[in-house]
C-alpha cells in the first residue's frame, strides 16, 4: 500500500465519521455516534495493519480518530504514535494483567508508528 492509498483510505474513514457527526449533538443519537467512533477506530487500526503488517487493535480510548482534522499520511502517522502513547499511559495506571495487556498494546502501536515513519520502499 502506498502513502497515497493510505491517505485516501484515511479520508474515507474521516468522511464516514463526519457524515454522522450530527448524532453527537442529540441525547438519542449519542450512543450511535459512539458506535461510529469505535467503528472508525477499528477501520483505522485495520488500515495501519494493511500498511505496516503490524496487528494493532483499536481498544476503547486509545485511537482518538475524532481528533484528526485532515486526511494526510502525516496525520495518520501521528494518530498511530498517539495511540501508542495513550496505551502506555493506560498501562501505567492499570494494575495486574491489565497493565501487561496495555503495555503490550502500546508496544505494538509504537512498532506500527515506527514503520509508518519509515520511507516507502515501493
Amino acid at each position: 500500500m502506498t502513502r497515497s492509498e493510505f491517505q485516501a483510505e484515511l479520508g474515507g474513514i474521516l468522511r464516514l465519521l463526519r457524515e454522522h457527526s450530527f448524532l453527537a449533538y442529540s441525547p438519542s443519537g449519542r450512543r450511535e455516534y459512539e458506535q461510529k467512533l469505535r467503528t472508525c477506530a477499528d477501520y483505522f487500526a485495520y488500515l495501519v495493519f494493511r500498511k505496516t503488517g503490524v496487528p494493532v487493535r483499536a481498544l476503547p480510548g486509545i485511537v482518538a480518530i475524532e481528533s484528526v482534522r485532515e486526511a494526510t499520511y502525516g496525520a495518520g502517522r501521528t494518530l498511530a504514535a498517539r495511540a501508542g502513547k495513550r496505551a502506555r499511559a493506560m498501562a501505567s495506571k492499570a494494575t495486574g494483567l491489565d497493565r501487561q495487556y496495555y503495555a503490550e498494546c502500546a508496544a505494538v502501536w509504537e512498532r506500527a508508528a515506527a514503520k509508518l515513519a519509515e520511507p516507502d520502499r515501493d
Side-chain angles (χ1 to χ4, degrees), residues 38-115:
R38 284 191 296 276
T39 301
C40 288
D42 286 338
Y43 286 159
F44 178 73
Y46 182 65
L47 178 63
V48 170
F49 166 69
R50 283 183 34 219
K51 174 69 176 156
T52 64
V54 179
V56 294
R57 294 196 57 214
L59 300 175
I62 289 181
V63 178
I65 192 77
E66 69 277 6
S67 67
V68 178
R69 298 291 168 229
E70 294 182 10
T72 63
Y73 186 81
R77 186 179 58 229
T78 301
L79 182 58
R82 250 189 299 152
K85 289 177 184 176
R86 282 178 169 219
R88 186 72 58 200
M90 291 172 87
S92 68
K93 294 176 187 173
T95 59
L97 291 176
D98 285 343
R99 178 179 289 229
Q100 180 182 355
Y101 181 74
Y102 286 124
E104 290 171 1
C105 184
V108 171
W109 273 105
E110 290 163 353
R111 192 168 23 141
K115 282 194 168 206

Side-chain angles (χ1 to χ4, degrees), residues 7-49:
Q7 187 170 308
E9 297 252 352
L10 180 58
I13 294 168
L14 294 178
R15 193 169 24 265
L16 172 70
L17 187 60
R18 289 188 183 126
E19 287 174 356
H20 293 89
S21 64
F22 68 92
L23 294 169
Y25 301 107
S26 70
S28 61
R30 187 68 190 163
R31 184 179 307 168
E32 186 177 348
Y33 183 69
E34 292 294 327
Q35 179 61 39
K36 298 290 184 202
L37 282 174
R38 284 191 296 276
T39 301
C40 288
D42 286 338
Y43 286 159
F44 178 73
Y46 182 65
L47 178 63
V48 170
F49 166 69

